[in-house]
């Protein structure tokens, strides 16, 4: 048993990370150019796709931060081995803040409360909106709250990164007390801010509809996206040193268990929302599901039940499947796609009664993803893959017995 | 019980390392019916003695399916056959409302079958077991590690097994009477 400094294992990321970073940037710029043309000609469709892409990549960013804080509170080798992957994803908060700005130009296209004349013309909305738009749903309020959310997320990410970076250099440090003191309140803050953010950015597209579990179902979706993303990245890095030396089947097993737990929580939240609204059957609530179960949208919903929950659930029951990174990675990649389909099913029916998908719904998330990945891999190569001078790094750096 | 024969030959080891090493060597030598005893779970020991899979997951699956079906059919019988009540104009057979109890019953039955299935497949409760005839076996709950080659093994020959085990640096070797 020996810790990193004695093992002479280079913990920096392999050169392939630079290559992926460059290719991601090229894809991001090319698709970004195509998407910009779309923004010019089909602005309505562009902003819908942009909102979905934004929520998808924000999910990986914030979900990574949440799993990282969870790791600081609970410890364990499963978290140590993906800690810097999560950290690099978390440090994309400034990029997401920058990518939020274009949304402000689409407010009037996305949100009925930003178009008072349309809102007043809608009999159903008139009584609700008069109060709400004066007090809460105004453009100023929307912007100020967004600044507030991003400030909190950036603050958390800043301290978590600073303290982690200290552990790259001697002497050996135990920062766990500081990490815990921040992560406990941090997770609560994350839960609250994401709930309010989702109310502002998604639920307010249909301002007369409310669901109190809505924020939580986004939260679990973000955490699931982040975990799947970390598994995909760890698989890519597993082909090269140092990850090929660090990653053990036990840790992959834990990642698989988390994946199973998260899809079950997602199913639980989604089903609870549906059951309560179905049982109540009130006109102002059930309309949300009427839209999403008719006009072709029902098939998307059924697809999600089967391929976001049932099939992954059955696969993840298997122990050998969870322990084998080369197989688990395919499910992780699939679930990342399913996360986008889920966002599509939640957001897009607000704008169309019948099933409707445009080329922008495909191009915009790829464009944003390219930029996001380029930024992510830049962050990843900036720090070693394991903080070697964390006293707990031994968990993954020690040689397995025999 | 009559002590007619020999249950197996048991070797005692000082450490996890020597036990794992011995278990691997014994398995590689072609012995199939072997078992090991340790005071705490030892990672890799199950693989070392050639233990591949067990039937508990199958028992749990069957238990879960029975539980789920019981839960669903019970609610169906109550709400549709035995005592139909019109709730908010919904059909008597309103499957969304049945899901929660169905789910809970699945978990309950799967959990109970896991415990009972594990006990049954291990043959528990078992008032008599020959390994306790080994003189120093009580230390298996303290700080010693044991490996046994059963006399039912097809390759079992008392002198060969004994001399092979002796080559693996055991602390002691004893014949376990049946």
């Amino acid at each position: 048993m020996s810790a990193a400094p004695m093992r002479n294992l280079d913990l920096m990321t392999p050169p392939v990370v630079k290559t992926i970073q460059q290719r991601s940037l090229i894809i991001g710029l090319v698709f970004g150019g195509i998407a910009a043309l779309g923004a010019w000609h089909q602005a309505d469709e562009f902003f819908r796709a942009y909102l979905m892409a934004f929520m998808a990549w924000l999910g990986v960013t914030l979900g990574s931060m949440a799993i990282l804080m969870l790791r600081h509170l609970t410890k364990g080798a499963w978290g140590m081995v993906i800690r810097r992957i999560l950290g690099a994803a978390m440090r994309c908060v400034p990029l997401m803040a920058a990518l939020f700005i274009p949304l402000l130009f689409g407010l009037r296209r996305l949100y009925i409360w930003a178009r008072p004349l349309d809102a007043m013309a809608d009999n159903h909305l008139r009584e609700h909106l008069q109060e709400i738009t004066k007090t809460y749903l105004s453009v100023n309020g929307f912007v100020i709250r967004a600044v507030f959310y991003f400030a909190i997320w950036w603050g958390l990410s800043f301290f978590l990164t600073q303290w982690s970076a200290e552990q790259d250099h001697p002497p050996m440090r135990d920062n766990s007390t500081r990490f815990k003191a921040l992560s406990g309140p941090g997770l609560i803050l994350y839960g609250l801010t994401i709930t309010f953010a989702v109310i502002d950015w998604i639920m307010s597209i249909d301002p007369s509809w409310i669901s109190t579990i809505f924020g939580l179902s986004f939260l679990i979706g973000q955490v699931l996206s982040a975990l799947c993303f970390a598994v995909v990245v760890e698989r890519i890095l597993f082909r090269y040193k140092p990850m090929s030396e660090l990653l053990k089947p036990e840790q992959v097993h834990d990642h698989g268990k988390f994946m199973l737990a998260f899809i079950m929580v997602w199913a639980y939240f989604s089903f609870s929302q549906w059951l309560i609204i179905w049982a109540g059957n009130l006109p102002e609530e059930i309309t949300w599901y009427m839209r999403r179960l008719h006009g072709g949208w029902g098939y998307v919903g059924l697809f999600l039940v089967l391929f976001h929950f049932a099939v992954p659930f059955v696969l993840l029951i298997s122990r050998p499947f969870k322990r084998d990174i080369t197989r688990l990675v395919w499910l992780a990649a699939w679930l990342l796609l399913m996360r986008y389909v889920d966002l599509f099913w939640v957001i897009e029916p607000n704008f169309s009664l019948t099933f409707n998908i445009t080329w922008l719904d495909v191009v915009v998330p790829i464009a944003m993803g390219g930029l996001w990945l380029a930024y992510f891999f830049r962050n990843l190569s900036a720090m070693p893959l394991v903080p070697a001078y964390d006293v707990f790094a031994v968990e993954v750096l020690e040689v397995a017995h025999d | 019980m009559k002590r007619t024969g020999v249950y197996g030959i048991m070797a005692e080891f000082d450490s996890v390392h020597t036990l794992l090493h011995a278990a691997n060597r014994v398995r590689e030598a072609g012995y199939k019916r072997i078992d090991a005893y340790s005071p705490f779970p030892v990672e890799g020991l199950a693989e070392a003695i050639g233990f591949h899979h067990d039937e508990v997951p199958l028992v749990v699956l069957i238990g879960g399916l029975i539980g789920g079906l019981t839960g669903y059919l019970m609610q169906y019988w109550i709400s549709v056959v035995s005592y139909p009540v019109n709730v908010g104009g919904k059909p008597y057979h309103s499957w969304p409302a049945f899901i929660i109890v169905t789910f809970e019953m699945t978990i309950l039955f799967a959990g109970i079958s896991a415990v009972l299935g594990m006990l049954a497949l291990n043959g528990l409760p078992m008032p008599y077991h020959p390994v306790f005839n080994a003189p120093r076996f009580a230390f298996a709950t303290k700080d010693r590690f044991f490996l046994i080659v059963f006399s039912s093994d097809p390759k079992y020959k008392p002198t060969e097994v004994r001399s092979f085990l002796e080559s693996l640096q055991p602390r002691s070797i004893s014949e376990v009477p049946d």
Side-chain angles (χ1 to χ4, degrees), chain A residues 54 68 83 144-145 218 259 319 385:
Chain A
F54 178 81
L68 200 57
R83 183 169 154 184
I144 291 167
R145 286 194 301 274
F218 269 78
M259 216 183 274
R319 180 182 151 98
L385 272 179

Side-chain angles (χ1 to χ4, degrees), chain A residues 177-231:
Chain A
T177 319
R178 276 198 281 177
F179 275 131
K180 272 186 192 166
L182 183 68
S183 299
L187 275 175
I188 297 172
L189 273 177
Y190 165 62
L192 288 172
T193 47
I194 197 61
T195 299
F196 277 91
V198 164
I199 291 173
D200 280 6
W201 302 343
I202 309 294
M203 208 198 274
S204 79
I205 298 171
D206 182 357
S208 59
W209 181 77
I210 47 160
S211 164
T212 47
I213 209 171
F214 198 64
L216 285 179
S217 65
F218 269 78
L219 180 147
I220 194 65
Q222 296 193 331
V223 177
L224 175 64
S225 314
L227 187 85
C228 291
F229 179 75
V231 167

Side-chain angles (χ1 to χ4, degrees), chain B residues 150-165:
Chain B
F150 295 118
S151 58
S152 54
D153 192 282
K155 276 191 72 181
Y156 183 84
K157 290 198 186 71
T159 47
E160 272 180 29
V161 171
R162 183 178 275 270
S163 60
F164 183 63
L165 286 175

Side-chain angles (χ1 to χ4, degrees), chain B residues 70-85 92 98 101:
Chain B
T70 310
Y72 197 93
L73 293 176
M74 178 187 73
Q75 292 174 91
Y76 182 86
W77 178 76
I78 292 170
S79 324
V80 180
V81 180
S82 171
Y83 202 88
V85 176
Y92 293 135
F98 297 172
V101 172

Side-chain angles (χ1 to χ4, degrees), chain A residues 60-126:
Chain A
V60 184
T61 313
L62 295 181
S64 297
M65 183 169 77
I67 299 176
L68 200 57
M69 291 193 285
L70 193 68
R71 191 219 81 89
H72 287 316
L73 289 173
T74 59
K75 303 265 167 39
W78 67 266
M80 186 57 83
V81 76
I82 53 170
R83 183 169 154 184
R84 284 292 162 81
I85 300 175
L86 297 170
M90 168 181 78
R91 277 176 278 138
C92 291
V93 166
L95 176 73
M96 293 318 294
L99 287 172
F100 184 76
I101 295 168
L103 267 184
L104 299 176
F105 297 100
L107 289 189
R108 288 170 56 83
R109 298 179 189 277
L110 288 171
Y111 305 104
I112 193 168
W113 50 261
R115 301 190 299 270
L117 285 177
D118 285 2
M120 293 309 283
D122 188 322
N123 285 333
H124 183 66
L125 292 178
R126 192 184 299 136

Side-chain angles (χ1 to χ4, degrees), chain A residues 28 50 53-54 57 95-96 99 363-373:
Chain A
Y50 193 90
F54 178 81
W57 290 105
L95 176 73
M96 293 318 294
L99 287 172
V363 168
V364 177
I366 294 177
M368 201 183 283
L371 297 177
W372 192 94
L373 286 172

Side-chain angles (χ1 to χ4, degrees), chain A residues 250 271 275 278-279 281 402, chain B residues 17 43 90 94 96 99-100:
Chain A
E250 293 76 42
F271 179 77
L275 181 69
W278 170 86
N281 206 20
D402 271 336
Chain B
H17 188 79
E43 201 177 318
K90 290 190 166 60
S94 288
I99 295 288
I100 292 176

